[in-house]
Amino acid sequence: MGGERWEALKPGGLRFIYDRGLFPPGLDSFVLSSLPKLKPGLRVCDLGCGTGLLALLLFQRQPSLTVTGLDIQPEAIRLAALAASENHLTDRLSFQLGDLRKNPLPAGAFDLVICNPPYFPQNSGPLPKSPQLRTARTEETCTLEDTCRAASRLLRWGGAFCLVHKPERLTDILCTMRQNGLEPKRLRLVCARPEAPPSLILLETRRGGKPGLAVEPLLILEAPDGSPTPELNRIYFREEDRL
């Protein structure tokens, strides 16, 4: 299709595909990929995987993973499968078309669940014109409760659930996580500058974890001169361009 575009995560690195009119890549997926503590052999589920960008970001950081992506949109799964094939990862990276509310994946099968979910509740503002963008950005087909319930079911005891979301939903997120047996353990705020209010939050929870939340240092996106910070450059793999 004419709107599809391939890009590399870094020179010589994994390649991802997207359609700017349907599933454009965004900052949120990149910063979320930096949150989980990845170890070789982890079994990972990407809920609402879209075209597979987040899964590829995880593989770029830790090649010895097994990742299963789930999405309700056929076009997203088609593009994600293309990306898995392009990067010769089909033995360890698979994508499944399905509705997370209907439990299409086995319970307790994953060490890590990761999700860039729809941010906005229904009737909270103007809707995107594209049905695909409405599904990706609003809780039209998947609520916060749906996402947390699915993650809790999919995780083994002690497994981690990581997500990115909007700071104005933080109270809803923390309450919903705990109601579904997911104890908040690490919280990080994403800010354009140190004095700016947060634009995103990164949260890690543990299935069956004990109470105790660590608030980590801010993730700052811009240096005083407006250039990307060293940490943001690392997240985008840009520091290797200068070696």
Side-chain angles (χ1 to χ4, degrees), residues 147-202:
T147 302
C148 294
R149 185 186 301 116
S152 182
R153 176 185 172 276
L154 291 170
L155 283 170
R156 64 167 175 80
W157 192 257
F161 176 36
C162 295
L163 88 166
V164 59
H165 219 293
K166 288 293 187 181
E168 56 264 34
R169 300 290 306 278
L170 180 57
T171 300
D172 293 338
I173 294 165
L174 295 175
C175 291
T176 305
M177 290 287 193
R178 182 169 274 181
Q179 288 166 3
N180 284 276
L182 297 165
E183 187 63 28
K185 300 301 294 182
R186 296 167 58 214
L187 173 66
R188 195 172 193 196
L189 306 180
V190 181
C191 304
R193 296 168 300 281
E195 71 277 9
S199 56
L200 294 169
I201 63 167
L202 302 173

Side-chain angles (χ1 to χ4, degrees), residues 70-136:
L70 179 71
D71 203 282
I72 198 172
Q73 302 200 61
E75 180 64 8
I77 292 297
R78 183 185 73 82
L79 295 177
L82 280 177
S85 178
E86 169 73 14
N87 291 287
H88 307 290
L89 289 171
T90 52
D91 58 332
R92 289 181 288 123
L93 174 58
S94 61
F95 295 99
Q96 181 171 326
L97 179 66
D99 186 335
L100 61 80
R101 297 169 296 182
K102 298 180 179 179
N103 302 329
L105 297 173
F110 299 96
D111 306 299
L112 169 66
V113 174
I114 195 162
C115 184
N116 181 356
Y119 291 153
F120 306 106
Q122 292 190 69
N123 305 316
S124 62
L127 294 175
K129 293 182 180 180
S130 162
Q132 292 89 349
L133 289 179
R134 284 202 302 273
T135 297

Side-chain angles (χ1 to χ4, degrees), residues 208-230:
K210 295 180 179 180
L213 175 64
V215 180
E216 299 188 342
L218 298 176
L219 171 50
I220 306 298
L221 305 178
E222 295 181 8
D225 62 0
S227 63
T229 59

Side-chain angles (χ1 to χ4, degrees), residues 16 28 65 104 148 224 239:
F16 65 98
D28 42 8
L65 302 173
C148 294
E239 78 284 358

